[in-house]
Amino acid sequence: MNSQPESMNNTLPNTFIFFFYLLMPLYSTATLPEMDAKTSELLVKGMAELMEMASDPDYPVYSDAHYRARLLEMSGAIQYRLTPDIKNHIKHRTEKYRSATERTLGLSEMYFPIFEEYLAHKNIPHHLKYLPIVESNLNAVAKSHASAVGLWQFISGTGRLYGLKISSYLDERSDTHKASNAAATMLAELYKRYNDWPLALAAYNCGPGRVDRYVKGNNKNFWDIRSMLPRETQMYVPYFMAVAYSYEFHHLHQLQPRKLPTDLVLTDTIHLSPGYKSLSQLARKYQINRDTLKRLNPVYIKNYIPSTCANPILVLPSRIVAKHRNYRSQFDRITNMKTSNPIKCIRRVNSEAELAFYIKAHRCSRPDVLFWNGLPSHYKVRSGDIIAIRKYCLPKTKPKPVVVKKDIKTISIHALKVLSMSHRDQLLATAPVYLNISKLKTRPKLSVQKMAAYQSAQTLQNQNLQQSQPQVAYQSSVVRTVSRQRSRGRRLRKPAPSTTTNLGRQNSYSPVTPAIQAVKSVHDKSGAGVQNKQPKPGALSSSSSRKMMLEDLNKLSDKIQSKEQAILKAKKYLRTSAEESAAIKELKQGE
């Protein structure tokens, strides 16, 4: 039996025939034999199967339902949707141009921490950090056909409007920090103007004048006026949504960012004194590669800092800034911590307010920051401290449920309460009873006023009960006695030898005790022979009479636990087995 799969058995011959006819002319000068129809069909099938095998993607492919669910999960301040244009852009980013996406993912580790902080200053959704990917593909010196420059693609007029200096030797549109601050200010103003982020993005691309022409006074959103806008702007917002999806869920598409050197990822800034300085001199001073220094500071076009620059700022790796500012020991302690969670950025904090801002900007929590930096829970910020923000936050575990002690007012205990006793049939009818915790010794302590009110209510209830049922007092005393003895699980004391052997069948010489007479009178009252004279409840108050009553009731308790209970339990079944029927019959005969 062949152990190979059937599909493989069908593919190999076709593939062999294809390669045979393909490689035969290379090794032989003879002409190939003329192919018949069957051989031609096999050759075509082999070629098709090889092409199909070569076209199988080595990455996951998802359906529209997956895209729609994830876009809905991302929605918040920005309402995402799935359109054919957005789907095509997603496929381009995650399938066709995977290498370019992975390169941009690596660059995002260099720029995104800076973008998030400037956006948080203006309370802008952090998803807007993906906008420079749409604008410049994270190229700090990119220049468009409309002469827009930098990560955020400012034209000269708009750049100067938001305070960016532009000259032949200095272009702050390429400055990561200053351009990000200007872009955040502009986006905040546009959102305040339209109260809709897709419209704000459209105005960022084509200018607010064109958007105002179709929106002002009409209460419309981007999708209502999309066809009226320039073609580039029509595709701008869908492309942004596709980019946001691709980078938010890149791990699900098996996209791996290309790692950058640590000197480009972990950066900080220092202020220099005014005056002319070349980048070559600064590279030698700070012992850094000149190309790395140029890449971190693309704002200086001519590779020098002009003397006219009033407050020059230089971007350097964090390790160099830590050494220059004499906190290298803190920096080394953080970077040498053994953890698989990579460092996202390192920041200096001087107050609790600055720490709270970084927590907000990077969407983490205070316990996250304390754990990442090995700080105690009672940590207080001191001026000059440095903290590390890491890439992955701690997993959010569900808090343990708090056990609340309930105020228990009643407890239901399944017990048996005697309802009636039959001297003639030797039966004791019982029923479940539920006790109130207020009647037990373990009842909660009440205030004096509540206790007095409770006692007065109980007294009034007892008086009403005695007035309405004067003849049941004696029966109630017997019932309470039997219930108390049975609930405690104690066996009553054995009767004296002179007492009766059977409660319902007394010997001729056995005297009738007052307890039996009392029980009989209670039974006869409900039957034919009713006695008018009932013993008073106080007749059995003496110790001798009570002892005799308990002795006579001892046998009755034994009967309850054995024969009579078995009969009552057996009668509850609608269908009794042969064994149960025989037991009932035997018990009745024993009576």
Side-chain angles (χ1 to χ4, degrees):
M1 175 183 262
N2 192 356
S3 60
Q4 293 181 341
E6 183 179 355
S7 59
M8 184 178 295
N9 294 337
N10 295 336
T11 305
L12 288 177
N14 300 337
T15 308
F16 175 77
I17 294 174
F18 171 73
F19 277 106
F20 174 77
Y21 279 93
L22 183 66
L23 300 177
M24 192 66 180
L26 300 177
Y27 297 97
S28 176
T29 57
T31 58
L32 290 173
E34 185 176 355
M35 294 186 296
D36 54 2
K38 186 176 181 180
T39 306
S40 301
E41 183 180 358
L42 292 175
L43 182 62
V44 172
K45 285 184 178 181
M47 185 183 299
E49 289 169 357
L50 283 175
M51 294 177 65
E52 184 178 356
M53 292 170 59
S55 62
D56 286 341
D58 55 351
Y59 49 82
V61 178
Y62 297 103
S63 63
D64 291 356
H66 292 91
Y67 295 141
R68 194 172 289 107
R70 292 167 189 164
L71 289 169
L72 182 63
E73 180 183 346
M74 291 173 56
S75 296
I78 304 175
Q79 296 298 321
Y80 293 90
R81 61 174 65 185
L82 184 65
T83 63
D85 295 333
I86 295 176
K87 181 181 176 180
N88 290 335
H89 288 313
I90 291 175
K91 286 185 171 295
H92 276 78
R93 278 282 174 178
T94 59
E95 297 178 8
K96 189 174 182 180
Y97 301 109
R98 292 174 61 86
S99 179
T101 305
E102 290 178 342
R103 184 189 66 84
T104 313
L105 275 171
L107 290 173
S108 66
E109 297 179 354
M110 176 180 177
Y111 294 111
F112 278 4
I114 302 173
F115 296 162
E116 291 174 354
E117 292 171 8
Y118 284 101
L119 294 175
H121 267 297
K122 304 295 182 180
N123 295 319
I124 298 175
H126 70 95
H127 284 176
L128 270 297
K129 66 185 177 183
Y130 300 115
L131 191 59
I133 300 177
V134 179
E135 291 285 352
S136 62
N137 211 22
L138 295 185
N139 183 4
V141 294
K143 188 173 183 179
S144 69
H145 63 278
S147 299
V149 178
L151 293 167
W152 298 88
Q153 289 291 286
F154 280 103
I155 59 175
S156 58
T158 307
R160 290 189 176 94
L161 180 65
Y162 286 96
L164 300 179
K165 298 179 181 180
I166 303 172
S167 63
S168 59
Y169 52 82
L170 181 74
D171 193 346
E172 291 184 345
R173 293 177 294 177
S174 297
D175 190 310
T176 306
H177 292 268
K178 294 183 178 181
S180 299
N181 185 36
T185 304
M186 182 177 179
L187 288 170
E189 292 178 357
L190 291 175
Y191 179 72
K192 185 178 180 180
R193 187 170 187 167
Y194 301 109
N195 198 28
D196 182 70
W197 281 113
L199 279 178
L201 294 175
Y204 186 90
N205 177 255
C206 66
R210 294 185 180 181
V211 177
D212 288 344
R213 189 182 307 169
Y214 306 107
V215 173
K216 192 173 182 180
N218 296 328
N219 194 21
K220 294 182 179 181
N221 57 26
F222 169 78
W223 305 103
D224 296 332
I225 66 168
R226 180 186 177 188
S227 59
M228 307 174 189
L229 296 173
R231 181 169 179 80
E232 180 184 351
T233 308
Q234 293 180 24
M235 304 303 298
Y236 185 80
V237 175
Y239 185 47
F240 166 78
M241 293 185 174
V243 167
Y245 167 88
S246 302
Y247 287 83
E248 281 287 318
F249 299 101
H250 68 274
H251 54 284
L252 298 180
H253 294 270
Q254 298 180 2
L255 293 168
Q256 300 296 330
R258 295 183 183 178
K259 296 297 181 182
L260 292 178
T262 307
D263 284 350
L264 295 178
V265 176
L266 303 180
T267 60
D268 203 344
T269 59
I270 60 173
H271 294 269
L272 302 176
S273 58
Y276 174 87
K277 299 176 183 64
S278 67
L279 294 184
S280 299
Q281 295 173 351
L282 294 173
R284 288 192 298 268
K285 177 181 179 180
Y286 294 108
Q287 298 179 1
I288 185 176
N289 184 273
R290 183 178 176 275
D291 294 336
T292 302
L293 186 63
K294 175 62 178 177
R295 188 171 182 182
L296 292 175
N297 299 273
V299 59
Y300 305 113
I301 302 175
K302 302 295 184 179
N303 295 330
Y304 68 89
I305 300 175
S307 57
T308 56
C309 190
N311 189 17
I313 298 176
L314 190 67
V315 181
L316 292 171
S318 295
R319 62 177 181 84
I320 298 178
V321 177
K323 182 180 179 181
H324 180 71
R325 295 185 179 274
N326 298 323
Y327 55 80
R328 184 61 183 268
S329 59
Q330 299 183 48
F331 181 86
D332 292 340
R333 184 187 68 84
I334 293 175
T335 54
N336 292 334
M337 292 179 65
K338 295 182 179 180
T339 176
S340 58
N341 194 355
I343 297 177
K344 183 178 180 181
C345 61
I346 295 178
R347 296 290 182 259
R348 290 170 292 172
V349 292
N350 296 314
S351 63
E352 290 287 345
E354 288 189 8
L355 178 61
F357 168 74
Y358 288 124
I359 290 173
K360 171 189 172 184
H362 298 285
R363 303 180 314 283
C364 56
S365 63
R366 186 183 179 89
D368 290 334
V369 176
L370 298 181
F371 178 77
W372 291 335
N373 296 275
L375 299 174
S377 58
H378 57 274
Y379 165 76
K380 293 184 179 180
V381 178
R382 294 175 297 179
S383 179
D385 286 353
I386 63 171
I387 59 171
I389 304 296
R390 297 189 179 270
K391 190 173 182 180
Y392 305 112
C393 296
L394 298 179
K396 300 299 184 294
T397 57
K398 294 183 179 180
K400 295 182 180 180
V402 180
V403 180
V404 181
K405 294 184 179 180
K406 298 182 179 179
D407 185 13
I408 301 176
K409 296 182 179 179
T410 59
I411 298 178
S412 298
I413 303 175
H414 190 76
L416 291 177
K417 178 180 180 180
V418 178
L419 298 180
S420 64
M421 293 179 291
S422 175
H423 171 68
R424 180 177 302 172
D425 299 331
Q426 301 180 10
L427 296 178
L428 182 64
T430 61
V433 62
Y434 298 93
L435 307 179
N436 196 308
I437 192 174
S438 60
K439 298 181 181 179
L440 303 178
K441 294 182 179 180
T442 58
R443 64 178 181 273
K445 294 182 179 181
L446 303 177
S447 62
V448 178
Q449 295 81 1
K450 292 184 178 181
M451 181 63 73
Y454 174 78
Q455 291 178 353
S456 61
Q458 290 292 332
T459 304
L460 181 61
Q461 183 179 1
N462 294 336
Q463 291 177 358
N464 295 335
L465 183 61
Q466 291 177 2
Q467 293 176 3
S468 60
Q469 297 179 354
Q471 301 297 333
V472 189
Y474 173 71
Q475 181 180 359
S476 299
S477 64
V478 177
V479 167
R480 283 197 300 271
T481 302
V482 176
S483 298
R484 190 182 303 113
Q485 295 295 331
R486 295 197 56 213
S487 63
R488 293 177 182 175
R490 300 176 182 174
R491 293 183 59 86
L492 300 177
R493 290 175 292 181
K494 294 296 183 180
S498 61
T499 55
T500 59
T501 58
N502 215 345
L503 182 60
R505 296 174 183 175
Q506 300 178 7
N507 295 331
S508 58
Y509 56 84
S510 298
V512 179
T513 61
I516 298 177
Q517 182 66 27
V519 175
K520 184 177 180 181
S521 62
V522 173
H523 171 71
D524 293 339
K525 185 176 180 181
S526 60
V530 180
Q531 296 183 4
N532 297 328
K533 294 183 179 181
Q534 297 291 340
K536 296 181 179 180
L540 296 179
S541 59
S542 62
S543 60
S544 61
S545 299
R546 184 175 181 82
K547 181 177 180 180
M548 294 174 63
M549 180 187 68
L550 294 177
E551 290 175 353
D552 292 336
L553 292 177
N554 181 30
K555 196 62 178 180
L556 178 61
S557 180
D558 294 339
K559 294 290 183 179
I560 293 171
Q561 297 179 4
S562 58
K563 183 176 69 175
E564 304 301 341
Q565 287 296 323
I567 294 175
L568 291 176
K569 183 177 180 181
K571 287 183 178 179
K572 291 182 181 179
Y573 293 95
L574 298 177
R575 296 180 181 179
T576 58
S577 61
E579 184 178 355
E580 292 172 347
S581 300
I584 295 172
K585 185 177 180 180
E586 183 180 355
L587 290 173
K588 288 185 176 181
Q589 289 177 358
E591 297 180 0

